């Protein structure tokens, strides 16, 4: 078994500042679970364009308040504490944080750990 403590990730290469967000990578590809898990803070007042064409992601909000706009239909989805959204269709979206939002993010396939979004809000395919 494995135990990961957030305090041991802070300040390492796996404590990634993406500009509008800070993502602490708890479980990564190298851990061999088949998915990755991040504890992510979305900064208050930000809007982030995201389009994970290579990944599926579930995002569970455990603190804070904001919304997601899915760009295929311009639908606005309020996101608050205890709400999960699943990007099951690789949905292109905007993530708007009204307050700081703390999110538990699960990716399939798993992230290697150091990724940041490219200019299109995408994480690259991990070729390894
Ligand atoms: C919720 C979300 O997608 N935020 C962007 C950062 C990403 N989830 C990550 O790497 O933790």
């Amino acid at each position: 078994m494995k135990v990961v403590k957030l305090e041991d990730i802070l300040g390492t290469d796996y404590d990634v500042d993406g500009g509008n967000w800070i993502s602490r990578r708890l479980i990564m590809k190298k851990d061999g679970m088949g998915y990755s898990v991040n504890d992510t803070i979305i900064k208050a007042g930000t809007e982030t364009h995201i389009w994970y064409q290579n990944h599926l992601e579930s995002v569970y909000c455990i603190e804070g308040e904001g919304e997601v706009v899915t760009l295929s239909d311009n639908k606005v989805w309020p996101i608050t504490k205890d709400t999960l959204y699943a990007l099951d269709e690789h949905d292109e979206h905007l993530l708007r944080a009204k307050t700081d939002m703390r999110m538990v993010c699960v990716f399939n396939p798993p992230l290697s750990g150091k990724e940041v979004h490219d200019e299109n809000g995408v994480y690259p395919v991990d070729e390894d």
Side-chain angles (χ1 to χ4, degrees):
M1 203 185 86
K2 180 172 294 196
V3 174
V4 182
K5 293 184 77 74
L6 178 60
E7 66 192 44
D8 296 333
I9 304 288
L10 300 179
T12 70
D13 283 353
Y14 302 113
D15 180 0
V16 177
D17 188 340
N20 289 353
W21 47 264
I22 297 171
S23 178
R24 290 77 64 93
R25 274 68 199 254
L26 300 168
I27 290 289
M28 295 162 271
K29 184 178 178 186
K30 67 180 169 61
D31 296 303
M33 299 296 286
Y35 54 82
S36 57
V37 182
N38 308 329
D39 178 328
T40 299
I41 307 294
I42 313 294
K43 297 178 191 170
T46 60
E47 177 180 274
T48 309
H49 173 233
I50 302 174
W51 194 6
Y52 294 132
Q53 296 168 53
N54 306 312
H55 297 82
L56 298 170
E57 185 193 23
S58 289
V59 182
Y60 187 49
C61 177
I62 56 171
E63 287 173 22
E65 193 181 336
E67 64 189 20
V68 168
V69 184
T70 41
L71 295 182
S72 62
D73 54 7
N74 280 324
K75 195 161 173 195
V76 179
W77 307 77
I79 305 296
T80 54
K81 182 178 178 322
D82 301 343
T83 305
L84 179 144
Y85 63 92
L87 301 165
D88 58 343
E89 296 181 338
H90 302 278
D91 312 67
E92 183 178 14
H93 62 285
L94 301 175
L95 173 58
R96 296 182 182 140
K98 196 179 225 177
T99 65
D100 277 0
M101 301 172 81
R102 188 171 180 196
M103 314 289 229
V104 178
C105 307
V106 177
F107 280 87
N108 168 27
L111 300 181
S112 294
K114 298 181 187 171
E115 291 93 339
V116 291
H117 296 166
D118 71 11
E119 66 281 8
N120 299 313
V122 176
Y123 286 138
V125 181
D126 185 357
E127 304 287 1
D128 296 341

